[in-house]
Amino acid sequence: MRRLRPRGHACLVRCLLVDDNGAFIETARLLLAGEGVVVAGTASSIAEALRQASALRPDVVLVDIALGDENGFELARRLAGSGTGAGPAVIMISTRAGADFTDMVADCRAAGFLAKDQLSAAAIQRILGRA
């Protein structure tokens, strides 16, 4: 079976979207798909995200900083693993300003931070150094 891509867009990246807000996940999935990003999977917890990341091998994982009772920075550290660069890039996301999290984003070895209202394929590409 062939994967369908949005007309006029090449697949820019495959991502895993990790957020405990179902409405945000659906909105983000539609937005990103329209811009050529394949949302290969979604998760709402650290355990689910680790399983999905292992199974799907996405290029990038978009991780909400606040995952209900869990901490997105912990997930980012676990995805970064040994720091060999073999895993997916991690971009932290939040409704709060990035300046609130600058040191924590650097400490967890995430590629960067994106405010949820700035989420786009172009923003992801910029953080990944592909723009």
Side-chain angles (χ1 to χ4, degrees):
M1 177 185 282
R2 238 178 43 172
R3 286 187 186 190
L4 298 177
R5 292 190 181 147
R7 228 175 256 229
H9 294 285
C11 176
L12 301 172
V13 293
R14 283 175 32 88
C15 80
L16 172 62
L17 184 56
V18 184
D19 198 299
D20 63 328
N21 182 323
F24 173 76
I25 283 182
E26 287 311 308
T27 300
R29 179 194 301 269
L30 290 171
L31 170 94
L32 293 172
E35 295 181 352
V37 174
V38 173
V39 178
T42 63
S44 60
S45 69
I46 289 175
E48 186 180 5
L50 291 171
R51 281 191 302 273
Q52 292 280 357
S54 177
L56 299 171
R57 303 227 182 259
D59 302 311
V60 64
V61 182
L62 303 174
V63 178
D64 187 21
I65 288 172
L67 289 173
D69 294 335
E70 297 181 311
N71 185 315
F73 292 113
E74 174 61 25
L75 173 58
R77 281 188 284 280
R78 291 177 69 179
L79 288 168
S82 62
T84 61
V90 176
I91 297 175
M92 304 306 296
I93 59 175
S94 178
T95 55
R96 293 179 46 194
D100 295 344
F101 305 109
T102 303
D103 292 338
M104 291 179 277
V105 169
D107 288 345
C108 74
R109 294 183 273 184
F113 172 86
L114 254 177
K116 287 182 178 182
D117 64 354
Q118 300 295 309
L119 185 63
S120 70
I124 292 169
Q125 294 286 65
R126 272 194 304 278
I127 289 172
L128 297 179
R130 299 179 185 172

